[in-house]
Amino acid sequence: MDKPLTGNFRADKEAVSLAEYERSGGYQGLRKAMLMAPAEVIELVKRSNLRGRGGAGFPTGMKWSFVPLGKDAPHPKYLVANADEMEPGTFKDRALMERDPHQLIEGMIVAAYAIEADIGYIFLRGEYECSYERLARAIAEAQASNYLGRNILGSGYNLAIHLHASAGRYICGEETALLNALEGKRAHPRTKPPFPQISGLWGKPTVVQNVETLCNVHHIVNHGTDWFRGLSRTQDGGTKLYGASGKVKRPGLWELPMGTPLREILEEHAGGMRNGLHFRGVLPGGASTDFLVEEHLDTPMDYEHVQRAGSRLGTGTMIVLDDQTCPVGMVWNLEHFFAQESCGWCTPCWSGLAWTEKILYAMEQGKGSARDLETLTFQTKFLAPGNTFCALAPGAVEPLQSALKYFADDFRRHVDEQRCPWRR
Amino acid sequence: MLTTEERREIETKLGDYPNKQAMSIESMLIVQRNRGWVSEESLRDISELLGLSVADLDGVATFYNLIRRKPVGRHVALVCDSVSCWIMGCDRVRDRLCSSLGTTLGGTTADGRFTLLPIVCLGACDHAPAVMIDGKLYEDVDERRIEEVVAQYE
Ligand SMILES: Cc1cc2nc3c(=O)[nH]c(=O)nc-3n(C[C@H](O)[C@H](O)[C@H](O)COP(=O)(O)O)c2cc1C
Ligand code: SF4
Ligand code: FES
């Protein structure tokens, strides 16, 4: 099976060198792209059915097609790699950047070429120091080999890529908040419209794209849309980095065909549950997704199918809940994170999430009441999409609303017994 | 006073952006990398260099988790307390760290050797629990291993 994203990964976890990268076909996608018109590259990516891997799954080619092209377009235009990765349970972009940094660089150059961008930024999570060093080296190497900089490969196209370390807030990953963070401001989200593709960084057209998304782009140009769509088991093109953490036998990260069923990932790749433990549920795509339970194990993991099962593919890195771990405690931990990371811009979110967290904490401490259960349910509606300024709050209540549904007995036992039944 | 190197590093990085404001956060991180934290004095120096008010910089500094406005110990240990690490027992690792170092989460040891801080998911969830010390990531730690790790730091 083709593994375009991780096929070059070295067993010793060192970064793939430029020479190794080139030997495996690296920068061939860029060479091909340079022979095409930017609009043709956009068209190709559109036809490939590549959807954004940052969580929302928006079609990538379509996003690019909103950027003004041609000689009347405003400049400079920007491409930003969203490498913030602060969502708990998510650990895929770090692997891509540390282990094959040139792949991200090449993907960025091709994407930037397609939207005729002049400057690229990698907005990198501050704690990812290893990624920073390896990307910095890769950028310098790419520059020295004329893949980057002025007159790239003699094409007349110029591009600079800069690394920007974030100072840490989950909201920085939200694309418009990220723009404010890059501009050196507090990372509050911006109103849309205008969309960043029209007015982004410093008011200029900007595309913000997830790391894994960008890592696919040059492969599509190099091998074509049929190849890319053929990698998938379903409608959504390509492979996907899936991960599993929690008490499975072999937690890890795997590149598999898009649409690989949940059961196959958890049983074959993650090795099933640890001895003596049973599966109770899973957050399929990071902390801001709804739980799936046993009845969903045959769901093909792509955008459509996971949505039909009542959740989101999100980042594709799953957090597994076993039968010896308290679901209320787990949800408390999640809401603690979201409450702490609320940017405070709008009241329902900063006040609602803090309230939610307090209730869950009290419940875990054996101080929950029946009314609290009503309040929690009320919060999930109060913080649903459309009621807050950005998607942080709706994402925050996804695990809560599904836990209230699937683990209702566990919540009730906390209240009835005035203790956490898992704590001995 | 900013050191010559700090000043040079900030000025070099300024070339990556169309204006000086964009360097507000990164300048503080540069100073912090050298000194462990951002003092009032450093803030004033940066504000002069970038032409921003101290209040502007402070407004930004207080927003971000990684900018520290208080001194820290010689080493900083970040203990992930997010969901995968929680499932895998990060509470026990934290408690052991606190008791063996004799401080609390958020605190610094009396001899100034360690500051212990909580951190959100370090992107190592498949090797939880995870701890980061001075930027170096330690995966699959447990109570025993964390003692060995910490012992390496003077
Ligand atoms: C609170 C919040 C945090 C986010 N964090 C990230 C992140 O760390 N990385 C990421 O790629 N997308 C993140 N997103 C999604 C981005 O807003 C955006 O949709 C994405 O970067 C677009 O890239 P894609 O189309 O390639 O998926 C976040 C969204 C929200 C609401
Ligand atoms: S929903 Fe939360 S994170 Fe988003 S703008 Fe409102 S307060 Fe900020
Ligand atoms: S939850 Fe601790 S590293 Fe991800």
Side-chain angles (χ1 to χ4, degrees), chain A residues 122-136:
Chain A
I122 301 176
F123 187 92
L124 182 65
R125 179 148 184 215
E127 291 90 339
Y128 284 5
E129 294 191 17
C130 175
S131 302
Y132 192 98
E133 285 162 26
R134 292 180 181 188
L135 284 167

Side-chain angles (χ1 to χ4, degrees), chain B residues 80 82-85 121-125:
Chain B
C80 174
S82 292
V83 64
S84 309
C85 288
C121 178
L122 288 164
C125 326

